[in-house]
Amino acid sequence: MTKFNQNNIATCAVIGQPINHSLSPQIHQSFAQQCQININYHKISGDPDLFEQQVQQFFDEGGLGLNITLPFKERAFKLATNCSTRAQIAGAANTLWCNNAGQLHADNTDGLGLVYSLNRHIAKASKQNILLLGAGGAAKGVIQPLLDAGHQLTIANRSIEKLPLLQQQFPKISTSIFAKLEPIYDVIINATNTSLTKEILPIPTNILKSTLCIDMFYNLTQTTHFCQFAKKYDAKLQIDGLEMLVGQAAASFLIWHKVTVNPDHTLAKLQTTPRL
Ligand code: NDP
């Protein structure tokens, strides 16, 4: 099974539902240009009834690497024969590839993307007191990388029954309910869906003052709902999930093509559109 077509172009793709909005093709093409390799990176509209077959078909047809986005990350993880520790901890995968024996490998690079974003805005090697809002797939993917970087981490989630399990899995974290959060954090990361649904998080607003706020959600043309909320309550800086997206893509690119790219250049190109 070859991973390149006759013009020596590697085929990669992202699969999700919905998928039209995805910036992954632009990002990966920009990386490929940077290191002068030829890739064909396309979008696949995931079918909830046929996801596993779609993945199989992609690799049967010689695909090199597949990114997975909502809502298939858990199914991608279950499908793989070999999963990285990062993917196992998250129970979800955003990066798939096949080895020469045809075995499916999975990794989760979301945490690396988040750490890339965070490191752009904090002093090098500084340890931050971080609050992570949410306990879904994206939150789980970033917990271990944040702990590995030496940060202190508190997790708060709407459904409090998820918190004891997380505490058991990650003994170094603290947990809290939204209402009891205190204004003690340097960094607040929104890993809930509230920027998508435009709901207000029921957190004490005084915790936002003077913090660095990172929303995992992104919108190329508009300031996200959480970033607007954070600004209103005097956060020091609000960053949306575009940086994280580019950072996780760079980590996938390295896995597939064995080339390290500088995400800053690609990010700068995407950030030329001013947010409203
Ligand atoms: P999940 O559906 O797995 O988790 C959703 C989380 O949001 C849960 O913790 C849920 O709480 C919480 N939530 C939903 N609605 C509310 C509400 N009204 N009030 C409070 N909490 C709420 O989603 P993901 O973890 O996969 O994704 C979360 C966000 O991260 C999305 O916006 C997604 O776009 C973004 N993301 C960005 C990436 C990037 O590269 N920039 C990569 C991956 C994700 P509960 O447990 O109570 O239901």
Side-chain angles (χ1 to χ4, degrees), residues 85-92 108-115 118 128 130-157 162-176 189-191 216 244:
T85 308
R86 289 191 293 245
Q88 285 174 33
I89 289 171
N108 188 319
T109 64
D110 283 342
L112 297 177
L114 195 265
V115 170
L118 179 62
Q128 307 287 314
I130 299 179
L131 170 64
L132 181 63
L133 300 167
K140 279 192 213 142
V142 304
I143 296 172
Q144 194 60 48
L146 289 172
L147 291 175
D148 289 346
H151 302 300
Q152 239 177 291
L153 190 58
T154 301
I155 300 181
N157 193 52
K162 289 186 183 169
L163 297 175
L165 271 178
L166 280 178
Q167 181 73 75
Q168 214 179 346
Q169 193 183 359
F170 303 98
K172 282 189 183 163
I173 64 167
S174 307
T175 58
S176 173
I189 299 168
N190 177 32
M216 286 196 186
M244 175 178 172

Side-chain angles (χ1 to χ4, degrees), residues 16 48 51 72 74 87 91 99 123 132 182 207 229 232 240 271 274:
F51 171 73
F72 299 118
E74 280 85 6
N99 67 9
L132 181 63
E182 294 194 33
I207 68 166
F229 178 60
K232 182 172 173 191
D240 73 17
Q271 281 175 330

Side-chain angles (χ1 to χ4, degrees), residues 70 73-74 110 134-139 157-159 162 178 190-194 196-197 199-202 216-218 241-242 244-245 248:
L70 288 174
K73 289 183 183 181
E74 280 85 6
D110 283 342
N157 193 52
R158 176 180 62 180
S159 308
K162 289 186 183 169
F178 284 152
N190 177 32
T192 73
N193 285 333
T194 51
L196 184 70
T197 56
E199 286 163 280
I200 298 282
L201 272 166
M216 286 196 186
F217 188 74
Y218 66 88
L242 188 63
M244 175 178 172
L245 182 76
Q248 62 77 27

Side-chain angles (χ1 to χ4, degrees), residues 46-61:
D47 180 335
D49 295 327
L50 296 171
F51 171 73
E52 285 73 14
Q53 288 97 309
Q54 287 178 301
V55 172
Q56 183 70 47
Q57 186 183 351
F58 173 80
F59 288 108
D60 283 350
E61 290 174 356

